[in-house]
Amino acid sequence: MFLNCADLVLMLTALGAAIVVNYAPEANMSVSDYSIEFLSTRVKLSNAILCGSMLIVWHFCFKIYGMYYSSRLSNSNEVFKQVVRAVAVSSIILLSVAQIGGWQTLDLWTVFCFFCFGVSLVSTMRLGVYQLSRLFRRRGINKKTLLVIGGGNRAKKLIEKMTGKAELGYDVLGYLDSAPLFSRRRVAGSPWLGEFEDLQRIINTEVIDEVAIALPIKSQYAQIKTSIAQLEEQGIVVHLLSDFFPHHLARVQQQEFQGMPLLSLQSTPLFCWRTEFKRLIDVFISLIFLSICLPLFVVIAVLIKFDSPGRVFFVQERMGYNKRRFNMIKFRTMSNDAEARLKDIEHLNEKEGPIFKMSNDPRITRVGKFLRKFSFDELPQMFNVLFGDMSLVGPRPLSIRDASNVEESWQKRRFSVKPGMTCLWQISGRSNLSFEQWVELDLEYIDKWSLQLDWWILLKTIPAVITARGAV
């Protein structure tokens, strides 16, 4: 969102600067004096319409030219070229719109000046952000874990370039290859993690952000196709050092890294201004909510302490984005020995699959039953949202026990996005649904995600909670 807003502000600045520089001499005024007069002039409706229209056009131009995708694997020249292309097309459209609308102020020379100012301002800002991001990665901030499939020369070259450039922010976990030649042998300093058949085990147990496939096409086509199918169903970003291969869920983005062609397949929402805006909404709402609900938290804490011995908050390790673990905070609704008593009642589980649910769980306290009915026990998770472990909307985070019992590989794609406090299944029956229905709705949310969908889910959650529909 920051980049999107900054781009649009700088483009407006470039347009204003182009007009001032061109028309200040005609008014026999200095640029500074004309700038003050220009800014103090009453805005005409036609000019407001033009600016509003161009903001929309500029946004889509920048988006079409890939300026809101991750530039982690790009170099500064590619970033500059993107800016020049996007601003050039924006300038042509501006000139066309001005001619159609009869805005005589925006002649060919003014638009050319706009192009020059736009490229200068936006590229300076973009290159500054690019260099700052690389500096942060060198210091270990915003690093990603990479798994390489293949151990040949192409894989070796890729690993050497990845590990030799700390500014890219990649930690190479290791590589997979079934050839006897590579058994327990290090390639470019990276360890051998197993054969191709071990891919499923590794992505199930390790934190993996991205996978690079560096296999020869002709001899390993079947293996590449199988690997893509396993990775895309869990939402892991795939980089192919090869030609295009069949996929069903992922979107393809073509990139170039150090002269090596890459195709990135991503079956989760792309990083863009919408994802940044989603995070901004999370922070804003969680801050407001926690500030307003502090007295309610105190009342609930007192009720819990009077009802049963033990802590006010229940903190449990959960599995989050890309199987990263975090501590989720809830109000305690069960007896203090609830975890120890789980084995005694596990045979009474009313749900199929890895989750445990009982309609009359004997471990729930009197106050806990009330809190659960209206989801008051979930309110402290706003801290998790504020800290960035969770989002307001997303698949509900599973406990480590439940997550480790998920056996179907397609179900694990729910871990490819940040978990949330509410999602589609909570407004579609909550605990009345089977685990398979939960996951199907989670994957539907991932595939159809939009800001509008998030707002719709949040609004639908309110009556679902008030009526306690499907609560256990």
Side-chain angles (χ1 to χ4, degrees):
M1 183 182 176
F2 165 76
L3 288 177
N4 184 250
C5 292
D7 289 337
L8 297 181
V9 169
L10 291 176
M11 291 291 276
L12 276 178
T13 303
L15 180 59
I19 293 173
V20 168
V21 167
N22 277 280
Y23 290 97
E26 291 185 13
N28 294 320
M29 298 174 67
S30 65
V31 170
S32 57
D33 291 337
Y34 190 83
S35 299
I36 296 172
E37 183 173 332
F38 175 77
L39 293 173
S40 61
T41 303
R42 184 176 179 180
V43 178
K44 295 181 180 179
L45 179 60
S46 58
N47 292 337
I49 293 174
L50 173 64
C51 289
S53 302
M54 291 314 303
L55 286 174
I56 297 172
V57 170
W58 293 336
H59 164 71
F60 282 105
C61 282
F62 280 39
K63 184 177 180 181
I64 289 170
Y65 280 94
M67 292 182 62
Y68 298 121
Y69 296 129
S70 173
S71 59
R72 185 182 291 259
L73 296 178
S74 304
N75 57 44
S76 56
N77 289 333
E78 291 169 344
V79 173
F80 180 74
K81 288 177 183 177
Q82 282 183 326
V83 174
V84 172
R85 292 191 194 104
V87 177
V89 173
S90 301
S91 301
I92 293 172
I93 295 174
L94 176 63
L95 182 62
S96 303
V97 171
Q99 296 302 312
I100 295 171
W103 284 283
Q104 297 178 356
T105 306
L106 299 175
D107 55 18
L108 181 60
W109 178 246
T110 304
V111 173
F112 175 75
C113 292
F114 161 76
F115 166 78
C116 295
F117 285 130
V119 169
S120 300
L121 292 173
V122 176
S123 61
T124 300
M125 183 274 294
R126 285 285 184 150
L127 292 173
V129 171
Y130 174 81
Q131 294 298 338
L132 190 62
S133 298
R134 291 165 75 89
L135 177 63
F136 284 158
R137 292 179 197 130
R138 285 195 197 99
R139 299 186 176 183
I141 301 173
N142 191 25
K143 302 197 78 173
K144 291 193 175 184
T145 303
L146 179 76
L147 172 69
V148 179
I149 299 179
N153 290 330
R154 298 167 72 195
K156 180 181 178 182
K157 187 184 296 185
L158 175 68
I159 294 172
E160 287 175 346
K161 290 185 177 182
M162 289 292 189
T163 54
K165 291 183 175 292
E167 65 271 17
L168 297 177
Y170 282 102
D171 285 327
V172 180
L173 183 68
Y175 76 99
L176 297 175
D177 204 303
S178 295
L181 173 67
F182 298 106
S183 181
R184 295 176 176 80
R185 172 189 166 193
R186 300 180 78 87
V187 169
S190 295
W192 177 75
L193 301 179
E195 300 181 351
F196 295 136
E197 291 75 19
D198 295 314
L199 175 60
Q200 193 66 57
R201 172 184 59 81
I202 291 174
I203 61 179
N204 287 345
T205 57
E206 300 288 344
V207 173
I208 297 175
D209 295 304
E210 299 177 13
V211 173
I213 299 179
L215 293 172
I217 302 172
K218 291 183 179 179
S219 60
Q220 297 288 353
Y221 179 87
Q223 181 56 53
I224 295 172
K225 185 177 179 180
T226 301
S227 299
I228 290 175
Q230 290 176 301
L231 294 165
E232 73 169 354
E233 70 182 0
Q234 294 200 31
I236 296 174
V237 177
V238 183
H239 302 295
L240 297 177
L241 278 78
S242 57
D243 295 331
F244 181 79
F245 284 90
H247 59 283
H248 304 288
L249 301 172
R251 290 170 291 272
V252 179
Q253 180 187 353
Q254 185 174 356
Q255 301 182 77
E256 186 173 302
F257 169 62
Q258 301 289 307
M260 304 173 70
L262 286 178
L263 289 178
S264 301
L265 282 71
Q266 190 164 341
S267 52
T268 52
L270 294 170
F271 176 80
C272 61
W273 71 270
R274 293 179 183 83
T275 55
E276 293 186 77
F277 191 66
K278 176 182 173 75
R279 176 60 187 148
L280 187 63
I281 292 172
D282 286 342
V283 172
F284 178 75
I285 292 182
S286 59
L287 280 173
I288 297 297
F289 184 89
L290 290 170
S291 301
I292 294 174
C293 290
L294 184 60
L296 177 61
F297 277 36
V298 173
V299 172
I300 292 174
V302 171
L303 292 174
I304 292 172
K305 292 298 288 185
F306 273 101
D307 183 51
S308 63
R311 296 180 178 179
V312 170
F313 295 105
F314 173 69
V315 180
Q316 186 182 52
E317 194 173 41
R318 296 286 177 112
M319 192 166 285
Y321 174 60
N322 276 357
K323 293 183 283 297
R324 284 178 170 82
R325 300 187 178 194
F326 70 97
N327 292 321
M328 192 183 77
I329 310 168
K330 297 176 67 174
F331 281 120
R332 182 174 61 83
T333 59
M334 292 187 173
S335 57
N336 216 28
D337 59 348
E339 292 289 306
R341 293 170 60 188
L342 178 60
K343 291 184 178 180
D344 299 332
I345 61 173
E346 206 161 13
H347 64 284
L348 300 175
N349 189 9
E350 298 173 0
K351 294 287 182 183
E352 294 182 0
I355 57 174
F356 178 84
K357 290 290 181 181
M358 275 185 69
S359 54
N360 293 301
D361 195 323
R363 301 172 297 164
I364 300 178
T365 63
R366 290 173 298 175
V367 170
K369 190 172 184 179
F370 170 77
L371 295 178
R372 285 188 167 211
K373 183 175 181 180
F374 296 102
S375 298
F376 286 158
D377 60 317
E378 310 283 355
L379 298 183
Q381 289 168 41
M382 282 291 182
F383 286 108
N384 292 114
V385 174
L386 182 62
F387 298 152
D389 297 319
M390 294 175 61
S391 178
L392 291 173
V393 183
R396 290 292 295 156
L398 295 179
S399 65
I400 303 302
R401 168 198 171 277
D402 292 347
S404 61
N405 289 331
V406 176
E407 297 178 352
E408 297 291 334
S409 59
W410 65 270
Q411 296 177 344
K412 294 174 183 175
R413 192 158 64 93
R414 72 190 308 277
F415 299 122
S416 65
V417 297
K418 193 176 290 187
M421 293 185 64
T422 184
C423 200
L424 278 175
W425 68 265
Q426 285 202 301
I427 61 174
S428 305
R430 297 173 75 186
S431 296
N432 294 329
L433 301 176
S434 66
F435 178 72
E436 188 165 327
Q437 289 174 312
W438 284 15
V439 177
E440 287 174 353
L441 287 171
D442 286 340
L443 298 187
E444 181 182 343
Y445 168 76
I446 293 172
D447 294 335
K448 297 181 178 179
W449 177 80
S450 67
L451 291 174
Q452 292 89 337
L453 180 59
D454 274 6
W455 281 113
W456 182 78
I457 291 173
L458 287 172
L459 292 174
K460 286 285 187 178
T461 300
I462 297 172
V465 170
I466 293 174
T467 59
R469 186 173 69 250
V472 173

